[in-house]
Structure formats: structure tokens, C-alpha cells
Amino acid sequence: LGWNRYVFEVFAPGHFGDWMDFPTLGVDENNIIICGNMYDYNGPLRHADVYVFDKTPLIAGSPVTLGIDYTVIHNPCGVLGSSYQSCHAYDGMPDIANPDIRNYILSEGWYDFTQTRRYIRVNAVRGIGAAAFIDCPPGDADLVEVPCYNFNQAAAPQRACQPIDTLDTRLTSSPVLRVDNAGFAHLWVAHTVGAPVAGCPNLTAPNSRTEVAWYEISPVSGLTLVQAGRVNQGLLPYYYPSIAVTKERCVLLGFSTSNPNTLTGYYGSSGYTTRRPTDPLGFMEPFNVYKFGISP
């Protein structure tokens, strides 16, 4: 099979010269979804945009037209969010009451006025291509609370050289949408966080060691946090995770890690851990190093 390459102009109405940063990709049965942060050409962030493409003409290599084959959703729900990730959705949604739900977009970084509670925003993507739109429920119904973490995270030390930049707490890999064998939908997502050091740190807390936070969220009948966990074995840093899940709810969580110990430490390396559906909620196996880094 050959490849079809497409190039699309990114834009926001009335904002000539905008450019997109942090583009993300999600795929479901019907759509290819690209999210990105729109910046003014002078630098300031304007908002996030979501492009929803009907997958059929793209696979066929046919020309596509805005308003016919795809749509652009500017600043979803008007909340000035950023760094959205759509899901890799491996199954059709089984919700008979909502047959037009195709995917979800998720974003991180939301907190309450006390700065002591953390949330993931989850919004359903309905429809296909140009007919797609995003659910914007009233109030805070699209927020699901997750365990507290520090927004400010330290660089990851490695053996005998400069630490590795761990970026920030945004979602840097695609969430996963799976429908289990019983027909229920589950959202799985992971990201890098700073370890909480004393209670729930505020926005000006000092940088702390990085951990991998992961969540299972049920989008059925409202948003529910089913379980949450952390990869934080010992005092090592863990960062840049990705997550994969089977229909049986077996989970493989990958991430980067490093160790600054002068004698037994290692450079940036790839690690993983797993869980089975019969494991206790929030449990992951002790981590394994899949491949040790060979240089700084």
C-alpha cells in the first residue's frame, strides 16, 4: 500500500499569521483528529484548535475540503485550554443513547481557586468530519478530579552528566479509548507530574522529582475516576509515559527513567510496567528497564 500525504493551512479567524505548536494526533473508527496550540506570530498563546477529518477520503487519497470533509473547532468550549490530546480509539463506542460519540479530547492543568485540587478535562467528540462537534456541558461537568501533584517538576538526573529536561505536566502522549468485553468504555491516560512533597503544593511550589501518574476514567453516565496510580519506585525520576490497553483491560505503561548514582546509575533509559484486570485498583507491577541508555 502507498502513503497519502496531506498539508493543511492552520489558521484562526481574524488572526493572520498564527502558527500551531504542540500538534497531537488521535485516530478512531471514522475520524483523524489533530489538536494544536495556536500562537500569535508575535508569540502569545491564543487558544487551542481541533481539526476533525473524515478518515475515508484521506485513506483513499482524495482531495478534501474544509466544511465538506473536515472541520476546525477553535477554542473548544471557550475555556482557553491548551495541549489537548484526542484518543487512539480502537473500538466503536457502544453507548446506544449517544451513538454519535466518536472520540474524546483530554487536557491537563486545571485546578480550583484554592490551587489544592487537580482535574483532567474530558470532552466528547461527536459526529464525523465536517459534521463533528465537541460536547461542552454546563458548569464543570467536563472535569474529573485526580490525585494531587506538583505542577513544577525537576529535571531528571542521569549518570555523571547534565540532567534531562522533563518538560511539564501536559499530556505528551495519546490517551487510549477502549471498550471492554462487557461493552463498557474506558479512557486511559498517563502524564509526567511533580511529586507532592507536603500536602498539595500550590502553583509556586519548588520543583520536585518527577513521577508518572496514570488514570482510568469512565465516561459512561458522567465522568468517574475509576482508579489512579503512580510510578514512583524508590527515589528515581520517571517521565514521558505512554499507555496501551487491551479489551481485557490489561495495561502496558512505558516511560523514560534515569539514575544519577555514580557507580550503578544509568543514562536516560526506557522502562515499563504492567497491570492485569484482576490486580487491586491503582496497582502496577514494579518497573523494569527495557533498554538502558548507552550515552548521555
Side-chain angles (χ1 to χ4, degrees):
L1 295 179
W3 291 86
N4 304 315
R5 184 176 68 175
Y6 288 85
V7 179
F8 300 94
E9 181 182 8
V10 296
F11 69 97
H15 302 319
F16 176 76
D18 283 1
W19 59 280
M20 179 184 282
D21 187 36
F22 197 69
T24 64
L25 176 72
V27 181
D28 56 56
E29 267 193 325
N30 305 103
N31 296 313
I32 293 175
I33 302 176
I34 297 174
C35 308
N37 298 332
M38 299 302 299
Y39 282 83
D40 180 86
Y41 66 92
N42 285 323
L45 173 69
R46 293 201 180 274
H47 51 68
D49 278 355
V50 178
Y51 288 63
V52 185
F53 298 88
D54 183 345
K55 192 165 65 174
T56 301
L58 295 178
I59 292 174
S62 304
V64 295
T65 303
L66 178 64
I68 298 176
D69 304 291
Y70 73 99
T71 188
V72 184
I73 301 166
H74 302 288
N75 188 21
C77 301
V79 297
L80 295 179
S82 63
S83 302
Y84 285 94
Q85 287 273 7
S86 55
C87 296
H88 288 327
Y90 297 97
D91 316 285
M93 286 294 289
D95 190 346
I96 298 175
N98 296 282
D100 59 337
I101 292 181
R102 308 295 172 177
N103 206 321
Y104 291 85
I105 60 169
L106 289 77
S107 63
E108 175 278 337
W110 307 94
Y111 54 91
D112 70 344
F113 69 96
T114 68
Q115 301 182 11
T116 60
R117 302 172 73 180
R118 307 287 187 260
Y119 302 89
I120 301 290
R121 188 177 293 275
V122 181
N123 298 94
V125 179
R126 297 177 181 265
I128 301 172
F133 64 96
I134 292 173
D135 266 356
C136 300
D140 296 329
D142 54 359
L143 295 177
V144 57
E145 186 170 2
V146 298
C148 186
Y149 54 84
N150 188 3
F151 284 120
N152 304 315
Q153 55 198 45
Q158 57 180 333
R159 186 178 69 184
C161 56
Q162 183 175 348
I164 298 169
D165 185 357
T166 57
L167 191 61
D168 52 37
T169 57
R170 77 183 75 182
L171 309 181
T172 55
S173 64
S174 294
V176 170
L177 170 61
R178 292 297 329 226
V179 177
D180 65 21
N181 287 330
F184 295 103
H186 303 262
L187 297 168
W188 299 82
V189 61
H191 65 133
T192 312
V193 300
V197 288
C200 190
N202 61 30
L203 302 186
T204 61
N207 294 344
S208 60
R209 178 180 52 83
T210 53
E211 302 178 341
V212 165
W214 61 271
Y215 317 112
E216 179 190 3
I217 299 169
S218 170
V220 180
S221 301
L223 296 173
T224 304
L225 181 65
V226 177
Q227 60 176 323
R230 294 281 171 86
V231 177
N232 55 7
Q233 186 175 327
L235 297 176
L236 299 179
Y238 305 92
Y239 43 98
Y240 296 136
S242 62
I243 194 164
V245 188
T246 70
K247 289 178 68 70
E248 294 75 24
R249 300 175 70 206
C250 297
V251 181
L252 172 63
L253 183 67
F255 47 85
S256 296
T257 186
S258 49
N259 187 329
N261 188 286
T262 304
L263 297 178
T264 61
Y266 38 86
Y267 303 118
S269 303
S270 58
Y272 71 93
T273 182
T274 60
R275 67 167 278 113
R276 297 169 294 183
T278 54
D279 288 332
L281 292 179
F283 174 82
M284 284 277 183
E285 293 286 346
F287 88 92
N288 297 277
V289 174
Y290 176 71
K291 172 66 176 178
F292 287 100
I294 60 174
S295 67

